[in-house]
Every structure is written in structure tokens, then in C-alpha cells.
Amino acid sequence: MRWVRGHLVGIAGLLVLCYLLIPNIVVIVFSFNKPRGNYNYQWERFSVDAWTNPCGTPGICDSLGLSLRIGFIATVVSTLLGTMVAFAVGRHRFRGRASTNLLIFLPMATPEVVMGSSLLTLFIAMGIAPGTITILIAHILFCLSFVVVTI
């Protein structure tokens, strides 16, 4: 019992981690399922068809490539901009510094869905068609606060 009390935080952490990974495990298990129709809700039979040709479904590999490019570009740009903003806010005293800090922390407290829908509304109101550029801008704006606070 002493051992359990001494390691309670670690045990609770592992249980939470296992609970959070359950959806990933379900997706992995059902990726080996061969459903009769288009829906993969219940187990039918074992198959490796999804793994023999991962790019067989049209658009899957294109989407993956686009996601990786957007992630890489957003990381680089937000790191550069965030570093400059962090140095400016951290080293210089200026009027409105408290408001700037509030605006930096605000996206971190806002749920991603709210921020995404707000940016979509802003882009549409400005007449900017949704596409790759707007997705890239949204990712950069989301990552920027984390970079500034970290640096």
C-alpha cells in the first residue's frame, strides 16, 4: 500500500494516457477490418487491404502532403515572427504593453474551434476565398502565441 501511495501520481498519469489513447487504438484495430459496405462501424473480417495501398483512395496522399507542407511552413513562420515579437515585448517598455500581452495570451485560452470559425468568418467578411493560404494564416496565428510565450 505504501508503494501505491508513493507512485499514485505516476499510476494516475498512465491511466489517463491509456484513456486518451483508446480512440487511436480503435482506429488502428478497425484499419484491419474489411467492412461489407462503406461504413466501418462493426467488425466483419480481418484484412490488410487498407495497408497494402495507402494511397489507393483518391486525394489521401495529396491531403497528407498538403498538411505536412502547411505544418512545416506554419512552424517556420510562427517561430520567426514569434521570436521577434517575444524579444520586442520582453526587452522594450512601451505604451500598451499590457494590452499586447493580453492579446498574446488570448488565443491560447480560446478553443481551437472558436478561433478557426472566427478566422473563417473574418476571411469571408473580407472577401478572401477559403483555401490553402487562409489555412496557412490560421495555423500561423494559432502557433504564434505559443512561440511568444515560450520564448
Side-chain angles (χ1 to χ4, degrees):
M1 198 61 173
R2 260 177 95 169
W3 184 87
V4 171
R5 263 190 255 142
H7 295 87
L8 190 60
V9 173
I11 293 169
L14 284 174
L15 289 173
V16 168
L17 184 65
C18 290
Y19 177 73
L20 291 174
L21 290 176
I22 287 173
N24 295 341
I25 293 168
V26 169
V27 168
I28 290 170
V29 167
F30 272 90
S31 72
F32 292 102
N33 185 24
K34 179 73 173 177
R36 291 181 193 185
N38 290 331
Y39 300 106
N40 200 1
Y41 293 141
Q42 75 183 67
W43 187 264
E44 297 290 332
R45 63 179 193 258
F46 182 81
S47 174
V48 292
D49 291 345
W51 291 96
T52 55
N53 189 10
C55 294
T57 305
I60 291 290
C61 286
D62 295 335
S63 299
L64 177 64
L66 179 63
S67 294
L68 292 174
R69 282 193 303 275
I70 286 175
F72 179 76
I73 294 169
T75 301
V76 170
V77 172
S78 62
T79 301
L80 292 173
L81 287 175
T83 302
M84 290 188 282
V85 170
F87 283 143
V89 170
R91 291 184 178 182
H92 301 289
R93 304 281 180 238
F94 55 91
R95 189 173 168 186
R97 186 169 188 242
S99 300
T100 304
N101 280 332
L102 176 69
L103 289 175
I104 288 171
F105 279 101
L106 197 59
M108 294 175 67
T110 306
E112 293 88 356
V113 173
V114 173
M115 188 169 172
S117 60
S118 302
L119 285 170
L120 177 62
T121 305
L122 175 71
F123 292 143
I124 290 173
M126 292 176 64
I128 301 171
T132 306
I133 297 299
T134 56
I135 292 172
L136 182 61
I137 291 169
H139 278 78
I140 290 170
L141 289 176
F142 178 74
C143 295
L144 193 62
S145 295
F146 291 98
V147 173
V148 172
V149 170
T150 303
I151 293 178

